[in-house]
Amino acid sequence: MGYVVLHLDKSPDNEVPMTAHIARIKIPLNAIPELTYLNEELVEFPEGVAGRTEAINHRLEHAGLTRKIGTNQVRVIRVMLTGTQEDMKRIAQEGRLKAWCADNLEWLRRTFGAENVVSAVLHMDEATPHIHAAVVPIVTGERRKIRKKKTDEPNKRKYRTKSAARPRLCADDVMSRVKLKEYQDTYAAAMAKYGLQRGIDGSKARHVTTQEFYRNTIARQQNLQDNIGELLRIEEEKRKAVEHATTQEQTAREKLRRTTAELNAVKGELKTERLKNSAAEVGINILDGIGSMIGTSKVKRQEQEIGVLRQEVSARDETIEFLQTKIQTMQADHRQELTTIQARHATETVNLTKQHEREMSLLKAALSKVVKWVPYFREMLRMESVCRTVGFDDEQTATLIKGKPLEYSGELYSEDHNCKFMVERVTAQVTPDPTDKRKLQLNIDKVPFKEWCREKFEKLRNAFCQPVRQQKYKGPKF
């Protein structure tokens, strides 16, 4: 059995960015653009209101508030309603999502007041179906601070106050600790029939906002990039150290070679002269001793330095091997995670496609039944197009489609004559065609529209083509 998810949040500023997110004016990273057409606005806006932000302002303007709204006051509370991902998918697959939306809307209106729930949008283009609702915190009754003062200071002098029944804007009253707990209880009770239950009371679990989700994802990606960069830097240092050690080794060997060659040259010169005195022999012995001492000490010192460098290179090789293994493991985990996400998205896309096909088949079946049960259905659709082309607005067209007479003043457009006729207080009405009972026709003053237009056009043409009578000139009179 899954859990309900109910999250309330005070809006910190104007709602234009959040409205752009909810209305998908700006597509977020975790949404599937191909499924955005499945999103649905569940609350009908008042006449003349075009969107969520306008609906919030419309409610504030018509709520009857007597005090000016402060710049730091919360004007709307964002409410997010959903459930565990697997259970929401199950509800959608069972075809109960519309009923779930209706019950959510009923709970919102019962809890916060029908007029305060100005918007509720169902999102189907993300991993879990959910609803974003906008609640304007209009309340009545005494303020909590006033009630507390009456209890704590009973003997204080009382002054006449405004009526407690007047509406006021107060998000703190709506989101008090007691009421927040009550919302969780009542919402879980309303969603129990869908197999959803309340979460653990007093749980330390915290809701992760969309911004936090994006921030954590980017941080993980940045951490991986930082590790790769660090490995590349270490590998570059290792390469430079190996090159430096190789250069030092070559330099030491070259110095040793030159020293040995010089000693051998001196020895050769002494032996060639074949000096027989003891001083020459002593010199040769001294040179031999000096050469062996110099050669031995330099070689040993250079060999020690080469050994230290080789140990450093070996240690760096081990570090690089370890980091490369770590990178491979992290990349494999990342690829596996991406594969899992892609597979999940593919499965969700297939399920939603199947659901869309089922809904389309049901819609086609319902449409065929409507056409069968309502003989004039196709004609009513055709007449709607005719009325809009002629120049009637939505409300006037709806009146005409119902067969009611409509008094009209303004312009009427004729496609046959490509002309607009100005009329004053004419009577328009849609009636069955007397020549074919299966069709409908538009009448103006009980005359079929085409005949009426033809008569009007003939009158206009005759008026323009009427010859002008010329008077004969009789000359001046004397």
Side-chain angles (χ1 to χ4, degrees):
M1 191 172 185
Y3 296 97
V4 296
V5 178
L6 174 65
H7 181 70
L8 288 83
D9 186 22
K10 295 179 181 179
S11 172
D13 202 349
N14 69 72
E15 282 297 282
V16 174
M18 178 55 69
T19 299
H21 168 82
I22 294 175
R24 292 301 189 248
I25 298 173
K26 181 179 180 182
I27 303 296
L29 297 177
N30 61 330
I32 305 173
E34 293 78 9
L35 302 179
T36 302
Y37 74 97
L38 295 174
N39 296 348
E40 182 182 358
E41 174 64 61
L42 305 176
V43 176
E44 184 178 356
F45 294 137
E47 184 178 356
V49 175
R52 178 176 175 275
T53 304
E54 292 185 15
I56 295 170
N57 295 330
H58 181 273
R59 173 57 181 153
L60 292 172
E61 292 171 0
H62 295 81
L65 301 176
T66 57
R67 297 183 63 179
K68 182 179 178 180
I69 300 175
T71 56
N72 61 340
Q73 278 190 276
V74 176
R75 298 173 177 237
V76 65
I77 296 173
R78 304 168 183 170
V79 185
M80 199 271 286
L81 311 99
T82 183
T84 312
Q85 187 177 45
E86 294 76 11
D87 293 274
M88 292 306 301
K89 291 180 180 179
R90 171 182 55 78
I91 293 171
Q93 291 172 358
E94 292 174 355
R96 303 174 64 193
L97 196 59
K98 289 188 179 297
W100 179 82
C101 292
D103 288 340
N104 274 270
L105 199 57
E106 181 183 355
W107 179 84
L108 285 168
R109 288 171 172 166
R110 183 176 63 251
T111 304
F112 303 105
E115 294 181 351
N116 291 335
V117 182
V118 298
S119 174
V121 179
L122 171 65
H123 275 178
M124 294 292 293
D125 57 354
E126 297 182 32
T128 306
H130 59 278
I131 293 176
H132 286 286
V135 175
V136 179
I138 302 294
V139 298
T140 57
E142 293 181 343
R143 298 177 181 273
R144 290 187 299 167
K145 292 183 179 179
I146 295 178
R147 291 197 295 268
K148 183 177 180 181
K149 286 181 178 180
K150 284 186 176 181
T151 305
D152 297 342
E153 303 176 10
N155 298 325
K156 189 176 180 179
R157 185 175 181 180
K158 298 180 180 179
Y159 297 90
R160 186 178 63 181
T161 58
K162 296 180 181 179
S163 173
R166 65 187 179 89
R168 54 190 176 85
L169 182 67
C170 185
D172 291 339
D173 283 6
V174 176
M175 293 187 65
S176 65
R177 185 180 297 275
V178 175
K179 286 192 175 181
L180 288 175
K181 185 178 183 301
E182 180 184 345
Y183 298 154
Q184 297 290 342
D185 295 335
T186 57
Y187 183 63
M191 296 293 108
K193 62 182 178 181
Y194 297 101
L196 301 173
Q197 62 181 348
R198 191 195 192 286
I200 301 173
D201 192 3
S203 171
K204 300 298 182 181
R206 189 176 67 87
H207 173 72
V208 178
T209 64
T210 306
Q211 291 81 0
E212 289 175 328
F213 172 76
Y214 292 154
R215 193 160 54 244
N216 294 337
T217 302
I218 294 171
R220 287 198 299 270
Q221 294 177 352
Q222 186 63 38
N223 188 26
L224 179 60
Q225 295 295 332
D226 291 343
N227 289 338
I228 294 174
E230 181 66 17
L231 289 175
L232 293 175
R233 186 185 64 79
I234 293 174
E235 188 172 358
E236 180 66 17
E237 289 182 356
K238 174 238 180 178
R239 185 184 63 79
K240 291 180 179 179
V242 170
E243 290 179 356
H244 180 66
T246 305
T247 304
Q248 285 185 340
E249 184 178 1
Q250 292 176 353
T251 304
R253 290 183 183 278
E254 181 65 23
K255 287 182 179 179
L256 181 61
R257 186 187 65 78
R258 286 199 303 268
T259 303
T260 305
E262 290 174 358
L263 288 173
N264 289 334
V266 173
K267 285 181 181 180
E269 290 177 358
L270 291 174
K271 286 180 180 180
T272 302
E273 294 178 357
R274 294 180 179 181
L275 297 175
K276 295 180 179 180
N277 52 27
S278 59
E281 291 178 358
V282 171
I284 292 173
N285 293 331
I286 291 172
L287 289 174
D288 288 338
I290 293 171
S292 62
M293 290 174 61
I294 294 174
T296 303
S297 60
K298 285 186 176 179
V299 170
K300 287 184 178 180
R301 186 169 62 254
Q302 289 169 353
E303 286 179 351
Q304 289 176 355
E305 292 177 355
I306 291 171
V308 173
L309 291 173
R310 285 177 178 171
Q311 289 178 359
E312 292 180 358
V313 170
S314 177
R316 289 181 181 274
D317 288 339
E318 291 179 359
T319 304
I320 288 173
E321 262 183 46
F322 170 74
L323 292 174
Q324 286 177 342
T325 304
K326 186 176 180 180
I327 283 179
Q328 292 174 357
T329 304
M330 294 173 68
Q331 289 177 342
D333 294 341
H334 186 59
R335 285 195 297 270
Q336 183 177 2
E337 184 179 355
L338 286 177
T339 304
T340 304
I341 293 174
Q342 290 173 353
R344 184 167 66 247
H345 284 173
T347 304
E348 293 175 357
T349 303
V350 171
N351 293 335
L352 290 172
T353 303
K354 291 180 180 179
Q355 179 185 354
H356 178 64
E357 290 175 353
R358 287 197 300 268
E359 292 179 354
M360 288 299 295
S361 61
L362 292 174
L363 182 60
K364 289 179 180 178
L367 184 60
S368 62
K369 289 180 181 180
V370 170
V371 172
K372 181 179 178 181
W373 294 341
V374 183
Y376 284 121
F377 182 72
R378 294 183 184 276
E379 276 298 297
M380 292 169 72
L381 293 177
R382 186 182 68 83
M383 288 309 300
E384 180 190 9
S385 177
V386 170
C387 292
R388 291 180 181 276
T389 303
V390 168
F392 296 110
D393 58 22
D394 293 345
E395 185 177 354
Q396 293 168 345
T397 300
T399 302
L400 292 172
I401 294 300
K402 294 176 184 178
K404 297 179 180 180
L406 173 69
E407 187 176 292
Y408 179 78
S409 297
E411 293 181 346
L412 295 178
Y413 175 71
S414 171
E415 283 187 327
D416 295 340
H417 301 90
N418 191 20
C419 180
K420 291 183 179 180
F421 303 103
M422 289 296 302
V423 297
E424 185 71 26
R425 299 177 65 87
V426 297
T427 301
Q429 187 174 12
V430 174
T431 61
D433 191 342
T435 60
D436 189 350
K437 297 299 184 181
R438 294 172 300 177
K439 295 185 177 181
L440 298 173
Q441 68 177 14
L442 175 63
N443 299 321
I444 305 296
D445 289 337
K446 298 183 179 181
V447 178
F449 182 68
K450 289 188 176 182
E451 295 181 10
W452 183 87
C453 290
R454 188 165 49 251
E455 292 176 2
K456 283 284 187 182
F457 187 76
E458 289 296 332
K459 288 181 180 180
L460 289 174
R461 186 170 61 180
N462 292 337
F464 281 111
C465 297
Q466 185 175 0
V468 179
R469 183 180 299 174
Q470 297 181 355
Q471 295 182 355
K472 294 183 179 181
Y473 179 71
K474 297 181 179 180
K477 293 183 180 180
F478 299 97

